[in-house]
Amino acid sequence: AVGGCDNNHFSQVLLNDDAILPIDLQCSENSTVRPGTSSPGDKFSVFNGEPADGIWTLNVSDNVSGTTGNVRR
């Protein structure tokens, strides 16, 4: 999230361009993103019309010093 949540917990979150609230506004009282559907920081629709086959790269970053994280599927 870009400036919304102070914590690293993005569990059971679905990102969808059509969601009403952006991911950075979905924090609960304990700064954890609430499970459910949120809109991403950048729209996925930029990929409309692009071929889905091929090699894709997912870039994930933690831009806060002193923290670590991981990506699970």
Side-chain angles (χ1 to χ4, degrees), residues 6-63:
D6 297 331
N7 210 324
N8 296 325
H9 303 291
F10 290 81
S11 179
Q12 300 176 357
V13 174
L14 174 67
L15 297 175
N16 184 318
D17 284 357
D18 296 326
I20 295 171
L21 292 174
I23 189 73
D24 5 356
L25 298 179
Q26 291 295 310
C27 300
S28 62
E29 299 82 38
N30 62 357
S31 298
T32 300
V33 174
R34 294 179 182 149
T37 303
S38 298
S39 62
D42 294 313
K43 298 287 185 185
F44 293 127
S45 59
V46 299
F47 297 109
N48 288 352
E50 296 292 327
D53 58 342
I55 298 172
W56 287 77
T57 303
L58 173 66
N59 293 305
V60 178
S61 64
D62 183 346
N63 299 324

